[in-house]
Amino acid sequence: MGNSSATGDGGLLAGRGPESLGTGTGLGGAGAGAAALVGGVLLIGMVLAGNSLVCVSVASERILQTPTNYFIVSLAAADLLLAVLVLPLFVYSEGGVWLLSPRLCDTLMAMDVMLCTASIFNLCAISVDRFVAVTVPLRYNQQGQCQLLLIAATWLLSAAVAAPVVCGLNDVPGRDPTVCCLEDRDYVVYSSICSFFLPCPLMLLLYWATFRGLRRWEAARHTKLHSRAPRRPSGPGPPVSDPTQGPLFSDCPPPSPSLRTSPTVSSRPESDLSQSPCSPGCLLPDAALAQPPAPSSRRKRGAKITGRERKAMRVLPVVVGAFLMCWTPFFVVHITRALCPACFVSPRLVSAVTWLGYVNSALNPIIYTIFNAEFRSVFRKTLRLRC
């Protein structure tokens, strides 16, 4: 990724396989270049196929069109752009000397920084969205297009982090055109902090608060449902009403046959109703059964969203965990090299952690298939239609 940096010849911060790019020997020569080509083609194919399937499935199936899945589509879009705009040039640069234009190298660095940052910011946006959904559910149900605005903000912030590279940060005196690299050590530290070391703790904190609130909500819901559950009396008491006969009331005698069979009961004058043998505060069984339940449409909508979003949240810890496992070694290695120019880090290690970070782009569709039943069924349906 664009933050990859190393102290190469002349004190420059090299990317794309650091010191080896200037010599063509650091990664093992032609054999390593062929291996990078084969691995790169396989990785690009997996990223394109898996994330395209995610985008098509969410766009075509209404059941997947939830707020959380909009963020997942944005994350898949970042992975698709990475496979199209970054990975081919990364595989090319792994083979040895950079022979393309310096401006193209700067564009590659900027796109790499922006897309990796967009992935992390999208995960942070999901954590914010889930936190609001759990802690302020009524406000969440009324917020409308806020998810789209939050997605747009993640991309704008990601572009702002990467903008200095395109705006001439790499145009330094004595630049080696055969090495595609980030030339400013301070920018490597800045972009690593903005792209990873600040958003990741915030994301983890929000997820901790979200799941803690969700556990409290489920405990309160369980207690409320348990308290409302009907209990069969153990001792003598009034007879239990027969569900086939309707509810019986202690102050009312059983309804007469005429009341049960007459089709014009509801059209009787009020004077006849006032002469009913029941007390004024008692409803006839038919009247009691005729009372419609009054759940508000908003309550139904909120309950539906809550249930579906709770299912969607089960896969999010796996996605976040896979992201951190893949990208944490990369950022630790590269910020260490930027802060400690005298420290030696093997070029093979740098290449390995960079490949590990890119592999994450192919993992998310696999995670959705394994851990989300809705995605799994829609994937199968989509693949059958396409084949």
Side-chain angles (χ1 to χ4, degrees):
M1 102 139 234
N3 308 50
S4 57
S5 61
T7 304
D9 295 338
L12 299 179
L13 296 179
R16 309 289 123 207
E19 297 90 345
S20 62
L21 295 182
T23 64
T25 60
L27 293 178
L37 178 61
V38 174
V41 170
L42 291 176
L43 179 60
I44 291 172
M46 291 179 61
V47 174
L48 289 176
N51 289 283
S52 297
L53 184 60
V54 171
C55 295
V56 170
S57 298
V58 175
S60 60
E61 292 293 333
R62 190 173 183 84
I63 192 175
L64 293 181
Q65 295 174 5
T66 63
T68 299
N69 288 346
Y70 294 151
F71 292 102
I72 288 178
V73 169
S74 180
L75 184 62
D79 292 333
L80 285 173
L81 291 175
L82 186 78
V84 173
L85 301 177
V86 175
L87 286 181
L89 291 176
F90 166 72
V91 174
Y92 163 79
S93 67
E94 284 284 88
V97 180
W98 179 266
L99 299 177
L100 304 177
S101 69
R103 293 300 299 172
L104 183 58
C105 172
D106 295 346
T107 303
L108 171 63
M109 295 289 105
M111 292 300 300
D112 203 357
V113 172
M114 186 187 78
L115 294 175
C116 181
T117 305
S119 296
I120 300 176
F121 284 2
N122 272 295
L123 291 176
C124 285
I126 295 175
S127 68
V128 173
D129 179 77
R130 297 296 85 215
F131 178 77
V132 174
V134 171
T135 57
V136 197
L138 293 181
R139 183 177 178 181
Y140 175 80
N141 291 336
Q142 299 172 358
Q143 63 183 341
Q145 303 298 320
C146 286
Q147 287 89 0
L148 298 180
L149 294 177
L150 192 56
I151 291 173
T154 63
W155 285 93
L156 289 176
L157 290 174
S158 302
V161 173
V165 181
V166 181
C167 294
L169 182 72
N170 266 7
D171 294 335
V172 297
R175 176 180 180 179
D176 184 359
T178 64
V179 179
C180 186
C181 60
L182 288 174
E183 306 289 345
D184 193 298
R185 184 177 292 108
D186 294 335
Y187 176 76
V188 173
V189 176
Y190 157 77
S191 60
S192 298
I193 292 175
C194 292
S195 301
F196 188 81
F197 291 105
L198 279 182
C200 283
L202 175 63
M203 176 177 61
L204 294 176
L205 180 63
L206 285 174
Y207 273 121
W208 173 80
T210 298
F211 282 99
R212 183 182 179 186
L214 187 62
R215 285 196 299 268
R216 289 180 176 178
W217 181 85
E218 289 178 342
R221 180 173 176 268
H222 177 75
T223 302
K224 190 174 182 179
L225 292 177
H226 184 69
S227 64
R228 287 183 176 180
R231 298 180 179 179
R232 188 178 185 88
S234 57
V240 179
S241 61
D242 187 351
T244 62
Q245 299 291 335
L248 297 180
F249 300 86
S250 58
D251 295 336
C252 299
S256 64
S258 61
L259 288 178
R260 289 188 179 182
T261 58
S262 174
T264 58
V265 171
S266 59
S267 60
R268 290 182 303 167
E270 292 185 2
S271 58
D272 294 337
L273 292 176
S274 63
Q275 298 175 2
S276 169
C278 292
S279 61
C282 177
L283 292 176
L284 290 174
D286 287 349
L289 291 175
Q291 293 294 324
S296 65
S297 59
R298 178 176 299 177
R299 183 180 303 173
K300 285 185 177 181
R301 180 173 177 267
K304 183 178 180 181
I305 291 178
T306 301
R308 181 171 294 176
E309 292 303 308
R310 278 189 301 156
K311 292 180 181 179
M313 284 184 67
R314 296 174 184 173
V315 75
L316 295 181
V318 185
V319 174
V320 174
F323 187 92
L324 294 178
M325 288 178 59
C326 290
W327 281 109
T328 300
F330 172 88
F331 281 98
V332 170
V333 167
H334 288 279
I335 200 171
T336 299
R337 303 179 78 198
L339 295 175
C340 181
C343 299
F344 173 78
V345 180
S346 169
R348 293 183 180 274
L349 176 61
V350 177
S351 182
V353 296
T354 305
W355 277 100
L356 179 62
Y358 289 141
V359 165
N360 178 254
S361 298
L363 288 182
N364 289 337
I366 300 175
I367 294 173
Y368 305 147
T369 303
I370 296 175
F371 292 95
N372 191 304
E374 289 183 349
F375 264 108
R376 185 164 57 250
S377 61
V378 173
F379 283 174
R380 290 172 179 170
K381 178 181 177 181
T382 304
L383 290 175
R384 283 196 298 267
L385 291 177
R386 296 298 182 271
C387 296

